[in-house]
């Protein structure tokens, strides 16, 4: 068991950049951290030049001195490989290591993440610096674990260098074996796109109307994910040769075109996340244009992180205002919000929290991305608030090691995630349903999990869920269909949305009657379908309750033992099937012909009797969130007030609030942004 992940207590850390600060500050900074309860720091993710200032010239003194000071102060350290920012001497001499735009223009030195994973030259330098760092530092007693790179696939998840084309060809040769098989898988007969040799195949290039072959782009996304996973494993394999027995390997983030489950399985002991809920209040925020979740969007994101490997931690937790000098401007968190967002992370299952960062940088692009301290370094309101958070951590020690508890899940696959990123029709459905179901979960206090369906997941793994939603199983494989059938056959309840079974694994549309591979499971036949036009809304009558069938509509006909439960109304589909129930083995399925808005999802929660499972214990307004973590027979209910106003909650039994030690019962008022943990 590692220092950070244990069943005894929740640990606080912060990110620190000794290379940004004069040595005269180090000693005092570490003392002040320790005094406020910080027990570990993360360092070195952007510090390649501190280890190799010139090609082949290695210097270890800087971090030797710093690590020795940390050991003296009993400050634990997460050490990072610095591969997210290759140095200028490398990119200048070896420009082939650089990533490129789709039109071939290279991304030059001056920012970060400007490299490509597939350059054999870059791989050589990465292997070398990781090995040399591990040889020198891995046995240092201050180090408790390692972070690989930084935010893999962040900022840019597209790679168009020459090296990527060569690697893409190798990826495709291994997958398809012959150029004829590739042509068939990509449907290259369309628009005369047939290839006659591997040398004619490239990563997606600039085309007229940006209409690159969608089957090619789907495989390209899989290739980007494969490249990132191999890059992480290359580093992890080297570190494993040197690290101490109890030291861990992790990385941070959750970004597009990356199979995080595969990466975690191959390379990591656990994954970490960088949580910035303040982005909801940014001046030009693009995160929350179509949702009422605001900073609760980071509940959804952390639920997705938890689905990767169960256990996770926070490597960067919001601790101040944020913004680059040219983007992402946001205000300083209000009093109480840092506490709220910390408890948000803990409530959703994080087992440690590391704040970004100790001091606000006075240099570079992130001069407005504030840390705990401002430029001057003096004590301030935020530091005092986080000192109080540490006191709460001590009171919450028994929560450590508990697991998030949900009986409702949303099924996802990486094939469908990738497809929804490139297919505009799929994307509209996915965005509507994902946000709609999640808003329903949040505002009705119905905890849920995200569940990735892959080769490691069996029907037994799914059995713990009373109800599973698979909003848009557009790409469906025989293996996935079998797992779902086994889950339902064993007593599970599975809810599909429109467009299930439309595509094969290649992204080619099936000629089978829809919903394809799950037609018998669903007891339905899709006889017609249509996109819902921008000037209309489609509604469904379900036992007298009117719900919306948004974005896309499947017209349904029951087959076998299927039964039509609801029909369309007020459109030319009026009277035809919109919802079909089918009993299959010990369980049942529901096939809904549209996408899920919040109100539609709430209706399903009510009908399937999964809404607000703790409602008999406590009543909460929509402004408050409920998270439940469980250890043994004990439940810990995190109640979080996201409002800037007081909110009244009603407790129907006696609880102990672990945050304050007070006994609570009956009507209770939560202050703005207040969080309580009820045992």
């Amino acid at each position: 068991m590692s220092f950070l992940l244990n069943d005894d207590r929740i640990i606080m850390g912060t990110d620190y950049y000794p290379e940004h600060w004069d040595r005269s500050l180090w000693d005092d900074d570490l003392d002040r951290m320790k005094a406020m309860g910080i027990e570990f720091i993360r360092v070195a993710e952007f510090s390649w030049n501190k280890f190799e200032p010139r090609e082949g010239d290695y210097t270890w003194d800087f971090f030797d001195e710093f690590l020795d000071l940390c050991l003296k102060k009993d400050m634990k350290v997460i050490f990072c490989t610095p591969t997210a920012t290759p140095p200028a001497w490398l990119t200048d001499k070896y420009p082939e290591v650089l990533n490129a735009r789709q039109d071939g223009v290279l991304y030059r030195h001056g920012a970060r993440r400007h490299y490509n994973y597939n350059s054999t030259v870059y791989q050589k330098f990465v292997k070398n610096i990781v090995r040399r760092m591990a040889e020198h530092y891995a046995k240092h007693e201050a180090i408790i674990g390692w972070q690989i790179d930084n935010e893999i696939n962040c900022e840019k998840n597209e790679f168009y260098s020459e090296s990527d084309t060569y690697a893409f060809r190798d990826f495709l040769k291994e997958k398809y074996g012959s150029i004829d098989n590739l042509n068939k898988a990509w449907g290259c007969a369309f628009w005369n796109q047939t290839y006659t040799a591997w040398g004619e195949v490239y990563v997606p290039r600039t085309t007229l109307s940006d209409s690159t072959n969608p089957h090619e782009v789907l495989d390209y996304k899989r290739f980007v994910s494969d490249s990132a996973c191999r890059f992480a494993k290359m580093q992890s394999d080297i570190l494993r040769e040197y690290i101490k027995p109890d030291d861990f390997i992790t990385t941070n983030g959750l970004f597009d075109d990356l199979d995080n489950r595969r990466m975690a399985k191959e390379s990591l002991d656990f994954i970490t996340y960088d949580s910035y809920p303040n982005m909801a209040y940014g001046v030009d925020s693009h995160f929350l244009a179509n949702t009422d979740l605001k900073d609760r969007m980071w509940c959804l994101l952390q639920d997705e992180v938890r689905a990767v490997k169960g256990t996770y931690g926070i490597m960067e937790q919001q601790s101040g205002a944020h913004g680059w000098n040219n983007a992402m401007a946001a205000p300083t968190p209000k009093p109480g919000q840092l506490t709220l967002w910390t408890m948000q992370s803990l409530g959703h299952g994080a087992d440690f929290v590391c704040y970004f960062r100790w001091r606000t940088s006075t240099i570079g692009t992130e001069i407005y991305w504030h840390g705990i301290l401002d430029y001057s370094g003096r004590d301030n309101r935020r530091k005092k608030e986080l000192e109080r958070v540490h006191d709460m951590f001590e009171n919450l020690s028994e929560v450590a090691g508990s697991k998030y508890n949900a009986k409702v899940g949303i099924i996802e696959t990486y094939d469908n995630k990738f497809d929804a990123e490139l297919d505009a029709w799929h994307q509209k459905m996915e965005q509507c349903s994902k946000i709609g179901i999640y808003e329903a979960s949040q505002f009705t206090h119905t905890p849920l999990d995200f569940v990735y369906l892959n080769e490691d997941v069996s029907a037994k793994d799914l059995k713990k869920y009373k109800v599973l939603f698979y909003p848009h199983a557009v790409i469906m494989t025989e293996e996935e269909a079998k797992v779902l059938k086994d889950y339902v056959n064993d007593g599970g309840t599975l809810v599909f949305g429109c467009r299930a079974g439309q595509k094969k694994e290649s992204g080619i549309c099936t000629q089978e009657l829809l919903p394809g591979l799950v037609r018998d499971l669903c007891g339905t036949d899709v006889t017609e379908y249509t996109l819902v036009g921008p000037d209309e809304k489609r509604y469904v009558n379900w036992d007298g309750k009117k719900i919306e069938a948004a974005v896309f509509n499947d017209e349904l006909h029951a087959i076998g033992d299927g039964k039509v439960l609801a029909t369309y109304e007020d459109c030319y589909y009026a009277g035809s099937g919109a919802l079909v129930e089918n009993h299959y083995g010990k369980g049942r399925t529901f096939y809904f012909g549209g996408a899920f808005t919040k109100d539609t999802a709430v209706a399903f929660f009510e009908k399937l009797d999964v809404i607000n499972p703790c409602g008999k214990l406590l009543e909460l307004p929509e402004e408050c969130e409920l998270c439940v973590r469980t250890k043994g027979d004990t439940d810990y209910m995190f109640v979080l007030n996201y409002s800037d106003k007081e909110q009244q909650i009603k407790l129907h039994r006696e609880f102990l609030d672990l945050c304050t030690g007070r006994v609570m019962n009956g009507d209770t008022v939560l202050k703005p942004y207040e969080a309580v943990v009820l045992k």
Side-chain angles (χ1 to χ4, degrees), residues 489-504:
N489 187 63
D490 198 28
T493 297
L494 180 60
V495 182
F496 286 99
C498 60
R499 296 275 76 192
Q502 177 199 346
K503 294 180 180 180
K504 301 177 184 179

Side-chain angles (χ1 to χ4, degrees), residues 53-100:
R54 289 164 294 279
E55 182 178 353
D57 180 9
Y58 303 100
T59 61
W60 313 114
D61 292 352
F62 183 87
F63 274 101
D64 279 344
E65 181 183 354
F66 183 73
L67 288 172
D68 288 346
L69 180 62
C70 289
L71 185 62
K72 177 183 175 183
K73 302 284 187 181
D74 192 28
M75 178 66 75
K76 307 301 183 185
V77 176
I78 299 175
F79 216 57
C80 302
T81 64
T83 53
T85 50
W89 58 258
L90 197 164
T91 58
D92 189 60
K93 185 176 180 181
Y94 304 99
E96 61 267 42
V97 309
L98 295 168
N99 190 11

Side-chain angles (χ1 to χ4, degrees), residues 333-371:
K334 299 178 177 66
Q337 283 187 314
L338 297 185
T339 305
L340 174 73
W341 296 332
T342 299
M343 301 302 285
Q344 175 189 59
S345 293
L346 294 183
H348 284 267
D351 284 326
F352 63 86
V353 177
C354 181
Y355 292 93
F356 187 85
R357 53 195 158 191
W358 177 246
R359 286 178 174 269
T360 302
S361 181
T362 62
I363 55 176
T365 300
E366 290 186 347
I367 54 175
Y368 299 120
W369 210 293
H370 286 66

Side-chain angles (χ1 to χ4, degrees), residues 1-8 245-247:
M1 186 173 294
S2 73
F3 175 80
L4 291 182
L5 300 176
N6 58 76
D7 294 336
D8 300 325
D246 290 334
D247 288 0

